[in-house]
Amino acid sequence: MDNLGLRYEERAQHAKNPAAKQLFELMSYKKTNLTFSDDETDPDRFLELADLMGPEIAVLKTHIDILESFVPDITKRLSELANEHNFMIFEDRKLADIGNTSVLQYTKGIYRIADWANFVNVHVVSGPGIIDGIGKANEEMRDSISRGIIILSQMSTEGNLASGNYTLKATEFAKKYEGSVAGHIGNGGNASELAKLSKLCVPGHILFTPGVNIEKGGDGKGQIYSSPDMAIAAGSDTIIVGRGIYGTRNPVNTAKTYRDAGWTAYTKRIKK
Amino acid sequence: MDNLGLRYEERAQHAKNPAAKQLFELMSYKKTNLTFSDDETDPDRFLELADLMGPEIAVLKTHIDILESFVPDITKRLSELANEHNFMIFEDRKLADIGNTSVLQYTKGIYRIADWANFVNVHVVSGPGIIDGIGKANEEMRDSISRGIIILSQMSTEGNLASGNYTLKATEFAKKYEGSVAGHIGNGGNASELAKLSKLCVPGHILFTPGVNIEKGGDGKGQIYSSPDMAIAAGSDTIIVGRGIYGTRNPVNTAKTYRDAGWTAYTKRIKK
């Protein structure tokens, strides 16, 4: 089944994971498929940026472990902003340990990621045990937050090893744990690779893509970019943009530009 | 060149990474090749266990991000224990992001891993950029701590994807960045796979192996084990043991048993 022609509302019907369902509905309602990567290391500026970007975005992606200081009030405030502006939170932790340790890193420690993040991503280099572990931990939580796992099925960095058989296995794990998994990270920097991944994804899973930039090229640090239009035509459901927005003079205007580009590309895709 | 017949002192001569050199010398001097995995989540018990195990071990492996609370005094105290008992510290962070983000996670944030850990491990699924980034960050530090990267070239969990071409690429990256890399994680649970990796390692790199247990078998959570003797005969330079020690009635005695088993296996190997 081809996902490209389906509207987000239809995809939501297919979703077996509650966080995936919520995000498809949110994107449809708010008319944005933009994920913003908030890479600020100063806690005040981190929250300021979240507040500023909130109205434009579907998802805010965090690296909570690069903040220069941390108190639980930060994630409490972040959750308030998510409610106020209607966006979901994705902690880009890239969990990559055995199931047992990954569950501890996700639910315990200083950051208590599971308490405030809707999405957390995992590498499956350690095998499917990590999905099983995090999925079970999510099921056991008795609160109203919807949670899902994002599998890093491809990457967009030079010389990365998440391709071919690795990607195939990752999508097999995703199908096996369809209700625990919310979606995939795909290679936004390479449209033909991304199209291959898109064909392997069930319609209820969301395809997130980093490596998207309006100005095509690289950043000189091993990151390769393609345009929002190319990425979405190839199967991206939400484009992840960070430096391409916060590194510009007027981040709000730039975010609006990306939002428009992403949404236009999506409406073009579903009309085909 | 085959590493199996070389003594740790000889391996130290080959080492281009300062932390690898220090560890080969330490193992030779202290006559232990035991790495202890301190998985306690209570900070006091975490330090207590480090103090208790200190005399028996070459390396203490930490998951700093599973501690239930954190203040910089914890890692300060850990460094004091490392000096007192003469062991090195390995933060099992499994960094797995693009170079730029991984460097922030390693040097900044709450934990400031680079300030107190000799070793940090990385997944190379994102490509060699992570080794380049962390290696450069280590070179820029102007203090007396020796630092090196451990590459997860194999894993010991069921259904893991770190094998075949993945392992081959990982060892190629290790050779390319020989001075930044201190060694590899190999599959201690599968001696024939481990032997393949050992043949791909330069003599100056250390092969760490989890998945080692005196009582062979699995833990029911996807972790597979083999004996210290099998792992070391196949090329392991230091065996990593956690639950197999702290989960027993008398952890100090059990640590001594593992230490003896590991050292006997090593002396047998170099005599061949």
Side-chain angles (χ1 to χ4, degrees):
Chain A
M1 183 172 192
D2 194 327
N3 303 334
L4 296 181
L6 296 177
R7 296 172 173 275
Y8 292 146
E9 306 90 277
E10 296 169 282
R11 303 279 294 280
Q13 305 277 330
H14 287 281
K16 291 183 181 162
N17 174 268
K21 186 176 164 64
Q22 185 183 336
L23 180 52
F24 277 129
E25 289 170 350
L26 188 160
M27 291 195 291
S28 169
Y29 172 81
K30 197 173 171 182
K31 293 191 169 35
T32 174
N33 51 20
L34 180 60
T35 294
F36 175 66
S37 187
D38 189 343
D39 301 328
E40 266 296 347
T41 57
D42 177 86
D44 292 333
R45 287 211 301 270
F46 166 80
L47 288 171
E48 211 177 284
L49 208 46
D51 192 17
L52 215 56
M53 293 296 133
E56 310 303 332
I57 63 177
V59 179
L60 187 92
K61 186 173 79 62
T62 58
H63 282 298
I64 202 71
D65 57 355
I66 66 171
L67 289 184
E68 275 149 19
S69 64
F70 181 79
V71 287
D73 267 358
I74 295 172
T75 45
K76 191 170 161 260
R77 178 72 190 129
L78 186 63
S79 299
E80 288 167 2
L81 289 171
N83 281 329
E84 188 185 323
H85 297 302
N86 192 23
F87 61 78
M88 294 176 80
I89 306 173
F90 171 6
E91 166 57 21
D92 188 2
R93 173 58 177 75
K94 295 186 173 67
L95 293 164
D97 213 299
I98 60 173
N100 211 33
T101 303
S102 296
V103 168
L104 289 174
Q105 291 169 326
Y106 173 60
T107 60
K108 310 265 180 187
I110 299 291
Y111 300 120
R112 304 188 69 89
I113 297 167
D115 287 359
W116 50 270
N118 300 104
F119 304 104
V120 70
N121 52 0
V122 307
H123 279 297
V124 289
V125 61
S126 62
I130 189 167
I131 305 175
D132 189 52
I134 301 287
K136 278 180 185 148
N138 282 343
E139 274 167 35
E140 280 162 18
M141 287 174 216
R142 295 274 167 263
D143 58 22
S144 62
I145 302 175
S146 67
R147 296 179 179 86
I149 298 165
I150 310 288
I151 301 179
L152 287 135
S153 299
Q154 292 181 334
M155 294 194 78
S156 55
T157 38
E158 278 176 45
N160 81 75
L161 307 179
S163 58
N165 186 55
Y166 188 102
T167 302
L168 186 66
K169 285 281 180 188
T171 58
E172 285 171 13
F173 299 157
K175 280 173 200 157
K176 187 176 171 198
Y177 295 93
E178 192 175 339
S180 300
V181 171
H184 300 267
I185 298 287
N187 183 352
N190 185 325
S192 70
E193 281 298 306
L194 185 64
K196 285 184 209 164
L197 172 59
S198 171
K199 286 190 180 67
L200 296 166
C201 294
V202 299
H205 285 163
I206 297 170
L207 190 43
F208 288 75
T209 55
V212 175
N213 199 301
I214 283 176
E215 298 179 39
K216 206 186 151 186
D219 71 347
K221 286 187 180 173
Q223 184 79 29
I224 308 155
Y225 295 113
S226 67
S227 75
D229 202 48
M230 284 164 67
I232 289 173
S236 167
D237 295 311
T238 164
I239 53 171
I240 305 176
V241 188
R243 266 179 288 191
I245 290 175
Y246 64 72
T248 61
R249 243 185 239 190
N250 189 328
V252 175
N253 277 358
T254 313
K256 285 181 198 292
T257 305
Y258 274 99
R259 177 185 184 168
D260 288 346
W263 194 255
T264 305
Y266 160 70
T267 50
K268 212 160 64 179
R269 183 176 90 187
I270 52 172
K271 274 184 192 146
K272 271 186 185 163
Chain B
M1 184 172 192
D2 195 326
N3 303 333
L4 296 180
L6 296 177
R7 296 172 171 273
Y8 293 145
E9 306 89 277
E10 297 169 280
R11 303 277 295 279
Q13 305 279 329
H14 286 282
K16 291 183 180 164
N17 174 267
K21 185 177 165 64
Q22 186 183 334
L23 180 53
F24 277 129
E25 288 171 351
L26 188 161
M27 293 195 292
S28 168
Y29 172 81
K30 197 172 171 181
K31 293 191 170 34
T32 174
N33 51 20
L34 180 59
T35 294
F36 175 67
S37 188
D38 189 343
D39 301 330
E40 266 296 347
T41 56
D42 176 84
D44 291 333
R45 288 212 300 271
F46 165 79
L47 288 172
E48 212 176 283
L49 207 47
D51 192 16
L52 215 57
M53 293 296 133
E56 310 303 332
I57 63 178
V59 179
L60 186 94
K61 186 172 80 62
T62 57
H63 281 300
I64 202 73
D65 56 354
I66 66 172
L67 289 184
E68 276 149 18
S69 64
F70 181 78
V71 286
D73 267 357
I74 295 172
T75 45
K76 194 172 160 257
R77 178 75 189 125
L78 185 64
S79 298
E80 288 167 2
L81 289 171
N83 281 329
E84 189 185 323
H85 297 302
N86 193 23
F87 61 78
M88 294 176 79
I89 306 172
F90 171 7
E91 166 57 21
D92 188 1
R93 173 58 177 75
K94 296 185 173 65
L95 293 164
D97 213 299
I98 60 172
N100 210 34
T101 303
S102 296
V103 169
L104 289 175
Q105 291 169 326
Y106 173 60
T107 60
K108 309 267 180 185
I110 299 291
Y111 300 121
R112 303 188 71 89
I113 297 167
D115 286 0
W116 49 270
N118 300 105
F119 304 104
V120 70
N121 53 1
V122 307
H123 279 298
V124 288
V125 60
S126 63
I130 190 167
I131 305 174
D132 188 52
I134 301 287
K136 278 182 184 148
N138 282 343
E139 273 168 36
E140 281 163 17
M141 287 174 216
R142 295 275 166 260
D143 57 22
S144 62
I145 303 174
S146 68
R147 296 180 180 86
I149 298 164
I150 310 289
I151 301 179
L152 287 136
S153 299
Q154 291 180 335
M155 295 194 77
S156 55
T157 38
E158 277 176 44
N160 81 74
L161 307 179
S163 58
N165 185 56
Y166 188 102
T167 302
L168 186 65
K169 285 282 180 188
T171 57
E172 285 173 11
F173 299 156
K175 281 173 200 157
K176 187 176 170 198
Y177 294 93
E178 192 176 338
S180 300
V181 171
H184 300 267
I185 298 287
N187 184 352
N190 185 323
S192 70
E193 281 298 305
L194 186 65
K196 285 185 208 164
L197 173 58
S198 172
K199 286 191 180 66
L200 295 166
C201 294
V202 299
H205 286 163
I206 298 170
L207 190 43
F208 288 75
T209 56
V212 175
N213 198 303
I214 283 175
E215 298 179 38
K216 206 187 150 185
D219 70 348
K221 288 186 178 174
Q223 184 79 30
I224 307 154
Y225 293 112
S226 67
S227 74
D229 203 47
M230 285 164 67
I232 288 173
S236 166
D237 295 311
T238 165
I239 53 172
I240 304 175
V241 189
R243 266 180 287 193
I245 290 175
Y246 65 72
T248 61
R249 244 184 238 191
N250 189 329
V252 174
N253 277 358
T254 313
K256 285 181 198 292
T257 305
Y258 273 99
R259 178 186 183 166
D260 287 346
W263 194 256
T264 304
Y266 160 70
T267 50
K268 211 160 64 180
R269 183 176 90 186
I270 52 172
K271 273 184 193 147
K272 271 186 185 162

